[in-house]
Amino acid sequence: MLCELDVKSRNAALCQLKSWSYDSDKKGIRRTIKFDNFISAFGFMSKVAILAEKADHHPEWFNVYSMVDILLTTHDARGLSQRDIDLATQIDALL
């Protein structure tokens, strides 16, 4: 069973994931990334899609032209879990 991270664990993780912020309404972490153009943004999303599929953990995201907004939360845990932190770390490594 997946568990939601407690506040101390969440804050510790966010110290390592400096470009991510906690979204209290969605109980997850969010990052917005601006690319040079649509092709770069879409290429990035394709790489994230492969990571997400391998992890069986899929982001909620939104793309307009060169901007990608990503929200990671674990519905089964009803909030932020270690799976979100792990995927965020992998996403950051792509950049």
Side-chain angles (χ1 to χ4, degrees):
M1 179 177 165
L2 295 170
C3 296
E4 181 178 12
L5 293 178
D6 59 38
V7 174
K8 183 177 177 182
S9 299
R10 178 184 76 213
N11 290 341
L14 286 172
C15 283
Q16 301 300 312
L17 298 168
K18 299 197 184 303
S19 298
W20 295 80
S21 60
Y22 184 67
D23 183 325
S24 59
D25 291 336
K26 296 285 190 169
K27 296 179 116 183
I29 54 175
R30 181 179 298 281
R31 179 170 184 184
T32 301
I33 306 160
K34 178 94 167 121
F35 294 90
D36 291 335
N37 53 50
F38 177 73
I39 294 297
S40 297
F42 195 85
F44 168 77
M45 291 178 73
S46 296
K47 292 175 185 176
V48 172
I50 292 167
L51 293 175
E53 190 63 20
K54 286 180 182 177
D56 192 29
H57 190 57
H58 304 91
E60 295 180 25
W61 54 9
F62 181 75
N63 165 247
V64 174
Y65 185 59
S66 61
M67 185 270 306
V68 177
D69 183 63
I70 306 169
L71 173 73
L72 299 175
T73 188
T74 303
H75 299 288
D76 292 343
R78 296 192 172 125
L80 187 68
S81 77
Q82 188 60 47
R83 293 181 82 193
D84 303 305
I85 302 305
D86 294 344
L87 186 54
T89 301
Q90 291 177 29
I91 289 169
D92 284 354
L94 292 174
L95 298 168

